[in-house]
Amino acid sequence: MNPDASTAIPPELIAALQQADHVVVFTGAGVSAESGIPTFREALTGLWQRFDAEDLATPDAFRRDKELVWGWYEWRRMQVLRAQPNPAHVAIAGLAQLVPRLTVVTQNVDDLHERAGSTEVLHLHGSLHAPRCFACGRAHLLPPGIPEEPEGGRRLSPPSCQHCGGPVRPGVVWFGEALPEEVLDAAFAAAEACDLLLAIGTSGLVHPAARIPWLAKQAGAKVVQVNPTATALDDECTWTLRSAAGAVMPSLLSGLCQPK
Ligand code: OAD
């Protein structure tokens, strides 16, 4: 039975956090929504509602039209460079100071967790800040700073690899590509070892990342969801906080600071 919580933090959840040795925070695009970064599947504003993933987020798309794909990811990278971590990112970084061990496992390709102070962050789907050569795979260093922002969908020529001259691609996992094996293994291991997993801002639809809350539950952990709308995870959760992450995560943190 999944007690449908309001934004109030159940005292039992605070007690579970106070007793936890290892907490996993599993995040999706919703944790960055209040920083102004679009999610993927929300009606009207979701990236996949306005753009076609098949034309932008696959290796074949890049082979077909590398300027369109590079331009779109540069638009997303500029959005991230202009964005700031929101109270949810800051609270997650603060949570790490209050529990013995905290592992952040994110599906997001932005660096807002790190900029908020989180240190142990596993990026399952790569990073906008880690482009590499499409031909030889070598990392490519982008110039520092925030160049002018291309509009979403405007074509830009990708840089050429300084080693082999091949085209540079975004450092994100595309559909049809494997997730970085070591990162995924570490994420699965953390899910199976933790006492409590917080799933924040994810629709829980994309595998293999979506297995993570389920693995935690199977291993006996309590699973908590923070999401203003119903998701595929609802029935897996011990608690569901129907709220925006930026609103509820600071309350969860202050609840944890109360004397036991
Ligand atoms: P989605 O867009 O599928 O889901 C975002 C979730 O965040 C939704 O359930 C929203 O209800 C919720 N949400 C929105 N605002 C929120 C807020 N302020 N606080 C908390 N939750 C909020 O994004 P993901 O689940 O991250 O992968 O999608 C997973 C993957 O699908 C992405 O990593 C990406 C995408 O295709 C690749 O591109 C490989």
Side-chain angles (χ1 to χ4, degrees):
M1 174 34 186
N2 169 23
D4 186 12
S6 63
T7 53
I9 313 289
E12 302 80 9
L13 167 51
I14 297 296
L17 270 170
Q18 287 171 333
Q19 289 148 24
D21 290 323
H22 185 182
V23 172
V24 166
V25 174
F26 174 59
T27 63
V31 81
S32 297
E34 289 157 275
S35 296
I37 306 294
T39 63
F40 290 92
R41 293 173 181 82
E42 289 191 274
L44 302 180
T45 58
L47 287 173
W48 296 153
Q49 307 303 325
R50 294 154 54 211
F51 298 101
D52 182 343
E54 288 310 307
D55 293 340
L56 293 162
T58 67
D60 282 346
F62 189 71
R63 288 186 192 95
R64 270 197 312 272
D65 190 343
K66 56 177 72 62
E67 286 77 15
L68 174 68
V69 173
W70 181 257
W72 190 67
Y73 279 93
E74 277 297 273
W75 170 66
R76 289 180 59 191
R77 187 171 74 88
M78 293 309 116
Q79 286 183 314
V80 169
L81 287 172
R82 284 180 163 74
Q84 294 302 322
N86 68 61
H89 295 108
V90 174
I92 291 164
L95 189 57
Q97 312 305 318
L98 299 173
V99 296
R101 179 152 185 224
L102 185 132
T103 305
V104 178
V105 178
T106 188
Q107 301 168 89
N108 299 341
V109 293
D110 63 52
D111 61 345
L112 296 175
H113 281 304
E114 291 86 344
R115 285 165 56 192
S118 289
T119 50
E120 195 178 338
V121 182
L122 297 172
H123 280 269
L124 296 174
H125 293 162
S127 168
L128 288 169
H129 302 297
R132 63 179 188 273
C133 177
F134 190 61
C136 73
R138 274 179 175 74
H140 178 82
L141 202 57
L142 287 167
I146 308 180
E148 44 90 26
E149 177 174 341
E151 303 87 58
R154 200 189 90 188
R155 282 179 166 71
L156 279 178
S157 293
S160 299
C161 171
Q162 276 133 4
H163 178 79
C164 76
V168 171
R169 57 160 286 174
V172 304
V173 175
W174 279 330
F175 289 103
E177 292 187 317
L179 275 61
E181 194 174 341
E182 282 178 24
V183 177
L184 187 60
D185 289 347
F188 282 174
E192 289 170 335
C194 72
D195 313 283
L196 188 145
L197 180 138
L198 286 157
I200 305 174
T202 182
S203 57
L205 293 173
V206 175
H207 285 270
R211 283 188 63 207
I212 285 170
W214 187 82
L215 283 173
K217 181 174 181 183
Q218 290 301 310
K222 291 184 175 60
V223 177
V224 188
Q225 180 178 216
V226 177
N227 196 317
T229 60
T231 75
L233 289 176
D234 281 6
D235 294 339
E236 302 295 318
C237 297
T238 313
W239 296 286
T240 289
L241 307 181
R242 281 276 180 257
S243 171
V248 79
M249 288 308 294
S251 312
L252 186 140
L253 200 68
S254 57
L256 191 54
C257 293
Q258 302 306 316
K260 291 187 182 176

